[in-house]
Amino acid sequence: MKPVRTAVLLSGRGSNLKALIEACRAPDFPAEIVLVISNVESAGGLAIARDAGIPAKVIPHKPFPSREAFDAEIDAALRAADVALVCEAGFMRIHSAWFVKRWENRILNIHPSLLPLFKGTKVHEQVLAAGAKESGATVHFIVAELDSGPIVAQSKVPVLEGDTPETLAARVLETEHELYPQALKLVAQSMLKRGNERAV
Ligand code: GRF
């Protein structure tokens, strides 16, 4: 079966993109990355995409008069590339309700905490301030509410004595690179089984 045509949306470094690209190289992996979109021109992820020979598009959000107009442009790019599944990896924009509806069950995000705990930004600061003894990463479907939506997969890491937001972030990031490819595999397999329809 043909792998599921997948796009990655990002705004920065792109280490998760790199992990996803590497995973997709495995024979019989059920997904392939066919497009990368960034709203930030200087995002490191763009170079990672281009080095891997994947079309990389910059769509800055600022020139658009509204969230809807920006999302419409993203949607058009995804459709033009015949994308069936979207993975967000450090994409720092909130979507409009219609975009989320349009991609319902076909759009994933990775968040660096054990959702539903510690949503939003400054996640590792929140974890440390709460005195949590473990943290981790979550891959979930995107819904209208931020950092909510059905959870596909999670992985845990310990919070260690003396951790700073940076040391904890690094430990969580390492587990993200394992988790996201596994979650993508699960979702893409489910889509293939259902004839490329929405995942369950
Ligand atoms: C990751 O920590 C991810 O969980 C969060 O943004 C960060 C992206 O990192 N949503 P990278 O650009 O994939 O390196």
Side-chain angles (χ1 to χ4, degrees):
M1 253 185 282
K2 273 197 186 161
V4 176
R5 293 177 66 81
T6 304
V8 176
L9 303 192
L10 51 77
S11 303
R13 183 176 51 188
S15 69
N16 278 290
L17 167 68
K18 192 157 185 272
L20 292 174
I21 291 172
E22 277 161 17
C24 287
R25 290 204 177 110
D28 299 331
F29 197 83
E32 62 174 328
I33 314 288
V34 295
L35 176 65
V36 172
I37 300 175
S38 172
N39 63 316
V40 177
E41 200 168 352
S42 59
L46 290 166
I48 292 173
R50 290 179 185 132
D51 285 352
I54 297 168
K57 218 172 153 61
V58 182
I59 305 181
H61 57 277
K62 284 219 179 100
F64 291 91
S66 64
R67 212 179 273 292
E68 283 75 14
F70 172 63
D71 278 348
E73 188 75 15
I74 303 255
D75 182 63
L78 295 172
R79 282 165 191 276
D82 197 18
V83 163
L85 178 63
V86 178
C87 290
E88 302 209 345
F91 184 64
M92 301 305 284
R93 303 301 301 169
I94 293 171
H95 289 295
S96 50
W98 80 260
F99 182 91
V100 172
K101 187 78 199 148
R102 197 157 170 108
W103 288 91
E104 190 177 32
N105 290 342
R106 294 187 298 154
I107 184 161
L108 298 171
N109 181 44
I110 187 158
H111 182 79
S113 80
L114 294 173
L115 289 174
L117 298 174
F118 309 115
K119 298 178 178 182
T121 56
K122 298 220 176 285
V123 173
H124 308 296
E125 283 86 343
Q126 291 185 52
V127 170
L128 293 175
K133 299 298 175 250
E134 60 182 15
S135 189
T138 303
V139 175
H140 64 96
F141 286 104
I142 292 181
V143 295
E145 198 188 326
L146 189 68
D147 298 330
S148 303
I151 290 171
V152 177
Q154 289 186 307
S155 55
K156 286 182 185 175
V157 300
V159 177
L160 302 178
E161 191 87 29
D163 258 342
T164 62
E166 291 72 30
T167 58
L168 180 56
R171 194 174 310 118
V172 170
L173 192 64
E174 224 174 281
T175 192
E176 290 183 38
H177 297 159
E178 301 286 321
L179 184 72
Y180 215 169
Q182 289 171 15
L184 173 59
K185 189 174 181 177
L186 267 178
V187 170
Q189 268 168 348
S190 151
M191 289 175 76
L192 287 179
K193 254 193 221 148
R194 294 164 52 82
N196 232 344
E197 286 298 313
R198 287 152 199 248
V200 187

